[in-house]
Amino acid sequence: EYFRSWFFGILWFGQGATLGPHWTLGNITYLFADLGILTSTASLWGIYGINFIVIFFATSFILLATNYLAYPKTKIFVRKSFGLILGLLSILIFLTIHYLIADGSEVSSDNAVPVALIQTSYPTKNGYTSKEFLDDFNQKLNLLENLPEEIKSKESVIILPEGSDLSKSLSTFMNSADIGKYFKRLSEKELLVIDNNRVEGDDGFKSKTIVTNSKQGAVGFYDKKLLTMGGEYLPYLLKVPSLLMSAPAENNFSHLRQFSRGKEPGLIEHNGHKIKILVCSDAISPSIANASTSDFIIVLNSLGIWGGNKNIESQFLSISQLRAAESKKYIALASNFGQSYVINPSGRVEKSTNSTGYQILTGGIVPNQTRTWYNKLEDWPILLLSLAVLGFGLITYRNANQNKIFHRFSRISSR
């Protein structure tokens, strides 16, 4: 699974791609995102540690069944199966104790930061009609101007999804001074508004997240790191066929699809809190999500390119649950064309919208400055353990084959 997360990026490499163990889509651990006894251990060894446990259990039961069929009710079965049974019991006891400890160590909600997730329903495509643009813009403005009182009465964080283009849209109708006045009018309290814009620069498009303090103006930026192939950059594998097109067609295709990736970690400081920002596919990568120490995580998501596909949304929710469990941090996930969620440090969904479409989800996320073992050591311990087990298995297999050859040779010699 670890090597597969590298292979996907290598296969679809191109200008704008990021090499590394990032593409964890389809990892078997995401099937168990709602099984607390397993996800609680992600803070120790990440998704590959859970892979290890799942595969250990599966192979152990297969071996136990094989041994029983081969040696039913014999001492050989007991001898051959003792290590497996002991290993299974040890892991079950460990998982139970760890889950009980982790479940009882939730952070206090006394210092929770109020958040409002602005959910949208804007299709992802290359061009929009004036009516589509204005309808979307008006609906977002309407949600912002009608924030619930529990958000407006406190210093809160407002989060819009990937591709919301709020800052860019406002600049179409207002100058910088008027935009500043607009944000100040939203609330007497200080609000932190986080939105994502498609911005064109000298080196191509950027998926740029703009962080705006309602009283101070723009206070931070983040450019998306893990760009998606085909949607935000053209892989070399697809660029070769595109060269066979006419020059204008090839240039147009490359221009629309060529984004430049960010290099900064996406960490914003606000009121003494460190906020980690992940834009859509960034959350797929454990290494990008855990690249810097934060107090909580904001995920800006968009399923517009998939038309709000429920299978993709379910996978992305599972991914976000595991990212929360790995770092023991709250995650607030604002979505376009999907549902929005507040996920607690155990990976459980605390609040969610009940449907897609334009609406607001409010909640509280509790800052947590502690670093988990996984934050500190990442995947190295479980990868080394896996290699050690593989090496032990190969040595055992080789010795078993040598013994078979020796016994056959002995029998032949005795004859």
Side-chain angles (χ1 to χ4, degrees):
E1 281 295 313
Y2 180 79
F3 286 128
R4 188 177 67 85
S5 70
W6 274 86
F7 176 75
F8 195 74
I10 294 171
L11 178 66
W12 297 105
F13 189 68
Q15 182 185 353
T18 304
L19 284 179
H22 303 307
W23 294 100
T24 63
L25 283 165
N27 189 293
I28 58 173
T29 294
Y30 298 139
L31 296 172
F32 306 98
D34 291 317
L35 192 59
I37 197 167
L38 276 180
T39 55
S40 66
T41 65
S43 60
L44 290 177
W45 47 36
I47 58 175
Y48 301 112
I50 297 175
N51 285 171
F52 188 95
I53 291 175
V54 169
I55 294 169
F56 181 86
F57 266 78
T59 53
S60 294
F61 281 115
I62 291 170
L63 288 170
L64 284 170
T66 304
N67 286 347
Y68 181 77
L69 292 173
Y71 315 105
K73 300 179 181 179
T74 65
K75 291 181 180 180
I76 300 176
F77 168 74
V78 175
R79 179 171 57 82
K80 282 183 170 290
S81 304
F82 179 76
L84 291 173
I85 295 170
L86 184 63
L88 287 170
L89 288 174
S90 300
I91 290 178
L92 279 172
I93 292 169
F94 165 75
L95 289 175
T96 303
I97 293 173
H98 184 273
Y99 175 69
L100 292 173
I101 293 173
D103 196 53
S105 61
E106 294 295 337
V107 287
S108 170
S109 60
D110 294 339
N111 61 336
V113 176
V115 294
L117 310 183
I118 307 293
Q119 184 175 286
T120 62
S121 185
Y122 198 42
T124 302
K125 55 185 183 179
N126 293 325
Y128 301 92
T129 65
S130 298
K131 185 179 184 307
E132 287 175 328
F133 169 78
L134 288 173
D135 284 347
D136 171 72
F137 186 49
N138 285 329
Q139 295 213 57
K140 285 183 292 200
L141 290 182
N142 184 55
L143 291 173
L144 279 170
E145 290 165 6
N146 291 280
L147 291 169
E149 194 58 38
E150 68 263 26
I151 297 297
K152 296 171 70 173
S153 62
K154 299 178 182 177
E155 294 184 349
S156 306
V157 179
I158 316 299
I159 307 157
L160 290 97
E162 182 187 28
S164 54
D165 281 337
L166 176 67
S167 300
K168 190 168 72 173
S169 299
L170 285 171
S171 65
T172 304
F173 301 101
M174 307 178 189
N175 58 35
S176 298
D178 289 335
I179 292 174
K181 291 176 183 176
Y182 170 79
F183 281 118
K184 286 178 182 177
R185 286 198 303 268
L186 290 177
S187 170
E188 293 182 1
K189 297 292 185 178
E190 188 177 80
L191 302 179
L192 197 70
V193 182
I194 302 174
D195 80 291
N196 179 267
N197 302 262
R198 174 173 161 151
V199 179
E200 188 172 8
D202 295 335
D203 52 351
F205 290 102
K206 287 185 178 180
S207 178
K208 183 178 286 291
T209 299
I210 299 176
V211 182
T212 305
N213 185 304
S214 63
K215 305 303 180 186
Q216 301 172 23
V219 294
F221 304 91
Y222 168 65
D223 295 335
K224 183 178 179 180
K225 257 186 179 177
L226 191 61
L227 303 178
T228 53
M229 60 289 298
E232 293 169 325
Y233 75 91
L234 196 61
Y236 293 133
L237 202 63
L238 296 180
K239 201 158 191 171
V240 173
S242 74
L243 291 173
L244 301 176
M245 304 177 187
S246 62
E250 193 277 329
N251 290 335
N252 185 50
F253 187 66
S254 298
H255 173 70
L256 292 172
R257 292 288 184 269
Q258 193 55 60
F259 280 63
S260 57
R261 63 185 178 87
K263 297 178 175 60
E264 299 302 318
L267 202 63
I268 304 295
E269 293 198 27
H270 173 67
N271 285 345
H273 301 309
K274 293 182 178 179
I275 307 171
K276 176 74 174 181
I277 297 174
L278 301 173
V279 179
C280 203
S281 52
D282 284 338
I284 296 171
S285 170
S287 58
I288 290 177
N290 292 292
S292 49
T293 305
S294 63
D295 297 348
F296 54 87
I297 301 170
I298 301 296
V299 179
L300 316 181
N301 189 29
S302 177
L303 300 171
I305 196 170
W306 308 107
N309 183 282
K310 289 298 179 184
N311 292 327
I312 299 293
E313 181 180 14
S314 176
Q315 174 85 167
F316 202 88
L317 172 59
S318 298
I319 287 170
S320 301
Q321 288 177 270
L322 264 298
R323 294 297 87 83
E326 285 166 355
S327 59
K328 287 291 180 186
K329 302 283 190 293
Y330 263 88
I331 283 183
L333 189 159
S335 185
N336 173 53
F337 250 73
Q339 292 175 251
S340 301
Y341 302 91
V342 174
I343 302 169
N344 72 15
S346 296
R348 292 195 294 270
V349 174
E350 262 190 14
K351 298 190 77 173
S352 71
T353 51
N354 54 14
S355 63
T356 59
Y358 291 88
Q359 55 184 297
I360 294 179
L361 175 68
T362 61
I365 50 180
V366 183
N368 178 18
Q369 297 180 350
T370 59
R371 298 184 70 202
T372 64
W373 282 105
Y374 183 73
N375 289 150
K376 297 173 184 176
L377 303 175
E378 298 182 337
D379 295 312
W380 288 109
I382 194 64
L383 292 176
L384 292 173
L385 175 61
S386 299
L387 287 172
V389 172
L390 177 63
F392 177 75
L394 291 173
I395 292 170
T396 304
Y397 180 74
R398 185 194 64 183
N399 291 342
N401 281 343
Q402 286 178 345
N403 289 335
K404 286 180 182 178
I405 294 170
F406 175 76
H407 288 310
R408 286 176 185 171
F409 181 77
S410 297
R411 285 198 299 270
I412 293 169
S413 299
S414 64
R415 290 175 186 173

